[in-house]
Amino acid sequence: MKNSHLIITIDGPAAAGKGTLSRRLAERYGLRHLDTGLTYRATAKALLDRGLPLDDEDLAVEVALNLDLSGLDRSVLAQHGVGEAASTVAVMPKVRRALVEAQRAFAKRPPGTVLDGRDIGTVVCPDARVKFYVTASPEIRAQRRYREIINQGGTAELPAILADLEKRDARDAGRADSPLRPADDAHMIDTSDQGIEEAFETAKSIIDAALAAD
Ligand code: C5P
């Protein structure tokens, strides 16, 4: 079994369940985890915090080159506005190049890494051992996001969340550089009508079969 330096990629649209699945798999296989969405969010937030424009590519690259990937915290970067700004910044090819390089360097460090994002199986780690594409219907994803916000004591409106998710999906899938799409060799997992536990078991059996075949 060639388990040394295992790289697992998980791509898919917002609120499909990638984050939870990635963390569970990283824990199960003793790997590091990188939520690459946070790298785009941190770049966008640094620009917003300094009152800088989001569409100045050179400025954004400078911020991206100075990110510390080990200190990214979703609780600080979770705000809706930061996600929107991240998907604007993520359209710029030079920003993507800077962040992709940092993500690859992180992925190479032992003992191996689970990375989740939009372009991991297609662009960042095309040679990864096992790739997944996790998705769910927009309505289900919007409901999950809605419940998350309400459970945290916030207020939200379901139709607005659905509209935002669809707008973000369209921007992520429609951009010219590294659009959101499944790698040809990705295993598809639809979480519309399965819980995280079921998705985890499905992913685990696919990984175990791949490792046993090595
Ligand atoms: O996954 P999350 O919602 O945190 O990602 C925020 C935004 O960052 C996404 O909407 C997408 O535009 C961008 N992103 C990306 N490539 C990745 C991860 C995230 O373009 N690998």
Side-chain angles (χ1 to χ4, degrees):
M1 188 192 270
K2 194 177 74 191
N3 200 348
S4 65
H5 210 84
L6 177 61
I7 293 185
I8 298 170
T9 67
I10 306 189
D11 289 304
K18 304 186 298 287
T20 316
L21 184 61
S22 305
R23 278 189 296 278
R24 291 284 310 273
L25 289 175
E27 198 180 305
R28 167 67 183 77
Y29 292 96
L31 304 171
R32 303 160 81 228
H33 171 226
L34 180 62
D35 174 348
T36 63
L38 295 185
T39 65
Y40 291 91
R41 284 175 181 262
T43 303
K45 185 165 189 302
L47 292 169
L48 292 171
D49 285 351
R50 292 181 216 163
L52 297 172
L54 291 173
D55 59 354
D56 182 327
E57 188 157 12
D58 291 332
L59 261 182
V61 169
E62 206 183 302
V63 170
L65 287 171
N66 286 301
L67 274 191
D68 173 8
L69 267 55
S70 62
L72 302 175
D73 179 354
R74 185 161 278 273
S75 67
V76 178
L77 299 166
Q79 296 106 313
H80 176 70
V82 175
E84 277 294 303
S87 86
T88 304
V89 164
V91 167
M92 298 188 280
K94 282 199 253 172
V95 175
R96 299 202 70 83
R97 239 172 285 142
L99 293 178
V100 165
E101 210 157 291
Q103 292 160 11
R104 283 182 183 146
F106 186 102
K108 271 195 204 132
R109 303 215 302 259
T113 310
V114 180
L115 298 96
D116 69 276
R118 304 291 191 290
D119 60 339
I120 311 301
T122 51
V123 174
V124 181
C125 299
D127 298 327
R129 185 67 191 84
V130 188
K131 301 178 186 178
F132 295 102
Y133 190 86
V134 179
T135 190
S137 71
E139 290 74 17
I140 297 274
R141 291 187 285 122
Q143 268 167 28
R144 283 188 193 141
R145 204 25 74 82
Y146 174 78
R147 253 180 273 129
E148 238 171 59
I149 297 171
I150 300 299
N151 289 342
Q152 286 162 6
T155 52
E157 286 184 24
L158 191 54
I161 292 181
L162 178 59
D164 274 345
L165 272 182
E166 288 181 326
K167 195 171 85 190
R168 179 111 71 91
D169 287 356
R171 197 186 287 146
D172 289 345
R175 69 179 171 228
D177 189 346
S178 316
L180 167 67
R181 70 168 181 83
D184 293 338
D185 51 350
H187 299 272
M188 306 296 286
I189 298 183
D190 190 327
T191 63
S192 297
D193 41 31
Q194 62 177 313
I196 181 63
E197 208 44 51
E198 217 179 313
F200 173 68
E201 289 302 326
T202 305
K204 199 154 65 74
S205 50
I206 291 169
I207 295 167
D208 289 342
L211 294 177
D214 279 346

